[in-house]
Amino acid sequence: MKNSTSLKNLAYMMVAVVMLLASCSDNNKINLTSDDSANVEGETTADSYMSDAADVSTEAVAAPSDSQFGGREATGPVDISQLFRENTRLSCATITIEKTSGGASPAGVITIVFPSNGSCKDFRGIARRGTITITYTGPRFVSGSKIVTTFTDYYVGGVKVEGTHTLTNITPTTASFPRFTVEIVGGKLTFLNGKTITRAQSFTREWQRGANPTQDKWVLLAGSTASGSTRNGKEYLMTVTKDVVHSRACMVSNQVFIAVSGEKVFTTENKQITINFGDGACDNIVTITINGKSKDVTINGDGN
């Protein structure tokens, strides 16, 4: 009889422990509101589009060299589209360059025109249309050089991109990789549903160059900030708390458009949301933490 009573007591204790553990587990999970989900999706998507713009600009400036023009200055715009036929984002665009100076301090304007019918698609099958205008001054790997990018009716996958992006080389003489500030003024994304995200930002980014371009990484350094309004018209502030890494290898092989590691804090309406991108795995999953409670979510990327 005692053994039977003991077994029952043990069974009750085990059930109680299981229920307690389940309760603790539930207490550690977060129930995201629709606004929370929209803010996380919007911030991550905005960062992706802005990073893409910076990446395309640096690629465009990288290709031309004086040897392309026989060592002479061009007297007007020169078609350099053939230099980008291996680049899936630029392969079907018309690209021209008008150099304003050369030698030790090159400068010029590069114009990238994507077909208006949306037929130009990258490795993810995402179409681009419209015009990107890039003004560059100085050798890109020399401290003080600048790349200023603007957009005219420019769309990526149906999302309109606006603003002035300025990349300034600030590479220290002892640095292993080139480093740039990325300032955005008047940044704006307009989605298919008509909603918008505005963005002003001050980033410091490191270009970690690999053995070939597909292995490159763009690293957004801790301390970088952005601000603006969400799709619901609420003001926000974003601060990078751990270096955020964008991997071109993940973009090419796994079609992962968001960062793959690092952490940022997004604050709006006095609510603080921590977004963690993981440890480098090529996926679109982020971990969201609010008030000590966390949840993994998958980012769609269209922002709609």
Side-chain angles (χ1 to χ4, degrees):
M1 193 70 178
K2 288 184 177 179
N3 288 340
S4 177
T5 301
S6 297
L7 288 174
K8 287 182 179 179
N9 290 338
L10 179 60
Y12 291 144
M13 290 176 62
M14 291 179 66
V15 170
V17 169
V18 170
M19 293 180 64
L20 178 60
L21 290 174
S23 174
C24 289
S25 177
D26 289 340
N27 287 337
N28 287 329
K29 291 182 178 179
I30 183 176
N31 291 319
L32 293 177
T33 67
S34 58
D35 282 348
D36 293 336
S37 298
N39 288 334
V40 171
E41 177 85 24
E43 165 56 30
T44 307
T45 302
D47 184 34
S48 173
Y49 280 102
M50 300 308 177
S51 295
D52 178 80
D55 199 14
V56 169
S57 298
T58 53
E59 284 188 11
V61 173
S65 67
D66 285 345
S67 63
Q68 249 67 58
F69 309 102
R72 297 188 301 274
E73 292 301 306
T75 56
V78 176
D79 191 331
I80 57 171
S81 304
Q82 73 279 2
L83 300 179
F84 298 90
R85 292 309 178 214
E86 301 301 319
N87 186 316
T88 60
R89 284 183 292 187
L90 298 172
S91 61
C92 48
T94 299
I95 305 171
T96 58
I97 182 172
E98 184 168 5
K99 301 175 72 177
T100 56
S101 69
S105 184
V109 178
I110 297 174
T111 304
I112 305 172
V113 181
F114 295 93
S116 59
N117 60 6
S119 61
C120 193
K121 296 183 179 181
D122 62 17
F123 51 86
R124 293 181 288 154
I126 294 178
R128 286 173 166 77
R129 56 189 171 94
T131 302
I132 301 176
T133 302
I134 303 164
T135 302
Y136 67 93
T137 54
R140 62 190 174 120
F141 290 131
V142 174
S143 184
S145 65
K146 286 190 177 184
I147 302 172
V148 180
T149 304
T150 56
F151 310 92
T152 304
D153 295 326
Y154 177 61
Y155 293 80
V156 181
V159 179
K160 187 176 183 180
V161 180
E162 300 176 76
T164 299
H165 297 213
T166 302
L167 280 76
T168 304
N169 189 312
I170 57 166
T171 308
T173 55
T174 57
S176 301
F177 299 104
R179 190 170 290 185
F180 304 83
T181 58
V182 186
E183 305 285 340
I184 294 181
V185 176
K188 184 179 180 181
L189 299 177
T190 303
F191 300 96
L192 289 172
N193 58 14
K195 291 191 175 183
T196 63
I197 294 174
T198 65
R199 195 173 188 86
Q201 73 177 38
S202 178
F203 286 178
T204 301
R205 298 183 66 187
E206 188 172 80
W207 184 6
Q208 295 186 359
R209 305 177 70 195
N212 61 68
T214 62
Q215 297 176 333
D216 286 358
K217 294 179 180 179
W218 277 103
V219 181
L220 180 57
L221 301 184
S224 298
T225 61
S227 60
S229 61
T230 68
R231 288 183 297 176
N232 294 326
K234 306 299 183 180
E235 293 185 357
Y236 72 85
L237 173 66
M238 187 282 295
T239 303
V240 175
T241 51
K242 296 180 182 178
D243 292 355
V244 171
V245 179
H246 289 264
S247 167
R248 191 177 292 175
C250 288
M251 294 178 189
V252 174
S253 62
N254 295 74
Q255 299 186 13
V256 172
F257 63 92
I258 67 171
V260 296
S261 65
E263 190 172 274
K264 60 174 63 172
V265 173
F266 183 89
T267 304
T268 184
E269 296 186 284
N270 296 319
K271 177 180 283 189
Q272 194 173 86
I273 304 173
T274 299
I275 307 172
N276 187 286
F277 294 94
D279 58 2
C282 294
D283 58 41
N284 288 323
I285 299 172
V286 300
T287 301
I288 309 306
T289 303
I290 301 176
N291 294 329
K293 298 180 180 181
S294 301
K295 182 177 183 178
D296 289 347
V297 299
T298 300
I299 304 298
N300 294 320
D302 57 9
N304 293 299

